[in-house]
Amino acid sequence: MNKDKIAIVGLGYVGLPLAHAFSEKYEVVGYDINQARVDELENSFDRTQELTSVQLQEAKKNGIKFTTAFEEMKNSNIYIVTVPTPIDKKNEPDLTPILKSTQSVAKVLKKGDIVIYESTVYPGVTEEVCVPILEEGSGLKFNETFFCGYSPERINPGDKEHTVTKILKITSGSTPEIAKKVDELYKSIITAGTYLAANIKVAEAAKVIENTQRDVNIALMNELAMIFDTMGIDTNAVLEAAATKWNFIKLSPGLVGGHCIGIDPYYLVHKAQSLGYTPNLILGARHINNGMSKLIADKAIKFMIKEDKKLKGANVLVLGITFKENCPDMRNTKVVDIISELREYECNVDVYDYWVDESDKKTKDVPFIDELSYGSNKYDSIIVAVGHDKFKTITQEEFTSLSNGKPIIIDVKGIVENPTWRL
Ligand SMILES: NC(=O)c1ccc[n+]([C@@H]2O[C@H](COP(=O)([O-])OP(=O)(O)OC[C@H]3O[C@@H](n4cnc5c(N)ncnc54)[C@H](O)[C@@H]3O)[C@@H](O)[C@H]2O)c1
């Protein structure tokens, strides 16, 4: 075992796999404020499905401790903060979890300790927001008696190939010596290697622009899809053709939900606006991407009207509600906006998503069904909202046996052979 003792603060999608990876070489304490989450982890169950129960048992064998008591971090000398960074109703950063977790760390911080942030933030959060809290709570002095680092996480929920140790990791530190130490710490577990950034703000900015770039590029695809739709041109066929050029960036139109891509750009927007710059391109992209749910619901409505269906009481089946394919994560899913829009027309909506955990279903005000009622001829329209693997295998006959009359299939993900409409 290495002599450094690591505390992971926040045991979610990011923190838990990291805690597992470090536990192979270091003494690790995993701290989280959610007692239910800690209890489940103690029982080797990870509802995010990032770790298997075997991996959790391995971590336990390696001595990992999961706790809701921050005092149990007191023997650690490196604290890695992986708490959520959401936005509020006005799309402003909500730094509450970062502030509160930093206060907890400050209470156990000792001379020589290093606090590394992994949560996605705007440039400046580590040094301008967190450091003063750490100084005040600990009585220590930044870059004299304690130090900081920032190393953004790049994992992709549900992706079993690009797992934490297999993704090159950006590292940084508050002094050149600490930067080297932080880099070496991650190098010891990340087989894909590390990239030592010039400083903490560069590392913070690099992460937030990775997701902003993706958001803006997807917005362009969505805008193109809307243009081509009005022209009666198949967007996918256009993208296939354009992608034959070596430098064309191929992305697909679609819903942008989840905890990262649809959220992180607002962090950069907030910082830019606080400095007097309005980032119109980034805000425009957010506006386009947020509008896609309404467009999709409107398409279902339009095709039902065309087929003389009565909208009030029409049965609509929504296939998939998670924010992306093959994962159980429903955070900030834009599928719920499609459902709300359909309900405005008083349609009855059924949702089928075999990825969502039973207990998580209660957290959303949507009617989940447990299985697909083939042969029921129930649905006036079917919206394939998420590209889960199982949905790719539904045959034309099966769609017909679910449909009331001529099937109306709205395919958001381009996975149905003969949809009525495809984004
Ligand atoms: N999910 C991803 O794929 C992903 C990828 C890259 C970066 N990120 C970033 O990583 C950060 C964490 O994301 P996540 O998906 O792991 O979030 P998450 O919601 O899955 O997990 C966060 C955990 O932190 C805990 N927590 C909240 N407040 C706390 C506090 N005061 N003290 C201790 N624990 C606390 C929560 O109970 C939760 O278990 C975010 O900034 C996110 O943007 C996420």
Side-chain angles (χ1 to χ4, degrees), residues 355-387:
W355 269 95
V356 178
D357 190 79
E358 271 315 306
S359 54
D360 286 339
K361 287 182 180 172
K362 295 181 200 108
T363 64
K364 291 265 179 275
D365 172 31
V366 295
F368 282 96
I369 54 169
D370 293 331
E371 54 188 42
L372 291 175
S373 49
Y374 292 119
S376 65
N377 297 112
K378 177 175 175 186
Y379 297 105
D380 297 295
S381 179
I382 300 172
I383 301 178
V384 184
V386 184

Side-chain angles (χ1 to χ4, degrees), residues 115-164:
V115 187
I116 303 168
Y117 289 86
E118 285 217 6
S119 300
T120 308
V121 292
Y122 56 79
V125 167
T126 303
E127 287 151 309
E128 292 159 17
V129 179
C130 299
V131 161
I133 297 172
L134 291 169
E135 284 190 323
E136 198 188 321
S138 67
L140 298 172
K141 194 94 190 86
F142 181 49
N143 278 347
E144 288 179 19
T145 43
F146 80 94
F147 306 88
C148 280
Y150 182 81
S151 179
E153 187 51 69
R154 288 168 154 169
I155 59 152
N156 186 18
D159 186 335
K160 300 295 170 213
E161 193 187 328
H162 302 101
T163 47
V164 59

Side-chain angles (χ1 to χ4, degrees), residues 255 296-297 300 315-322 333-340 342-343 347-354 366-369 372 379 381-386 388 391 394 399 402 410 412:
L255 299 168
I296 290 156
N315 290 314
V316 181
L317 173 63
V318 173
L319 291 179
I321 190 172
T322 58
T333 167
K334 295 296 160 196
V335 182
V336 293
D337 298 342
I338 300 179
I339 298 165
S340 308
L342 292 166
R343 282 172 160 178
C347 297
N348 296 319
V349 183
D350 282 348
V351 177
Y352 175 67
D353 195 324
Y354 62 97
V366 295
F368 282 96
I369 54 169
L372 291 175
Y379 297 105
S381 179
I382 300 172
I383 301 178
V384 184
V386 184
H388 292 328
F391 298 158
I394 300 177
F399 276 121
L402 288 166
I410 306 297
V412 179

Side-chain angles (χ1 to χ4, degrees), residues 166-311:
K166 294 188 195 131
I167 309 168
L168 191 136
K169 206 154 183 348
I170 294 178
T171 58
S172 65
S174 55
T175 68
E177 296 73 35
I178 293 301
K180 205 161 161 260
K181 163 105 187 152
V182 171
D183 193 55
E184 274 160 13
L185 175 79
Y186 282 104
K187 256 196 195 125
S188 70
I189 60 155
I190 307 286
T191 49
T194 58
Y195 175 89
L196 180 56
N199 56 51
I200 287 178
K201 283 197 178 82
V202 166
E204 290 171 323
K207 169 66 194 182
V208 79
I209 69 152
E210 283 171 20
N211 285 349
T212 303
Q213 184 190 65
R214 210 168 156 75
D215 195 42
V216 169
N217 280 311
I218 295 171
L220 175 62
M221 297 303 127
N222 280 333
E223 187 155 74
L224 295 174
M226 288 187 269
I227 295 170
F228 294 139
D229 187 48
T230 58
M231 298 167 79
I233 300 174
D234 179 348
T235 306
N236 275 295
V238 178
L239 295 179
E240 289 294 334
T244 57
K245 190 182 175 196
W246 71 94
N247 61 358
F248 182 80
I249 302 166
K250 194 173 176 238
L251 282 164
S252 303
L255 299 168
V256 181
H259 188 44
C260 293
I261 298 176
I263 305 281
D264 300 344
Y266 288 119
Y267 273 68
L268 191 56
V269 165
H270 165 85
K271 185 66 182 176
Q273 286 183 329
S274 75
L275 297 169
Y277 180 81
T278 302
N280 290 318
L281 179 65
I282 301 172
L283 281 168
R286 287 279 67 245
H287 181 73
I288 290 172
N289 288 343
N290 280 343
M292 295 312 284
S293 304
K294 182 169 169 13
L295 177 102
I296 290 156
D298 285 351
K299 284 289 170 192
I301 296 293
K302 188 174 134 190
F303 283 104
M304 284 194 283
I305 291 172
K306 271 193 179 169
E307 289 298 319
D308 284 332
K309 305 259 188 191
K310 193 169 166 236
L311 293 182

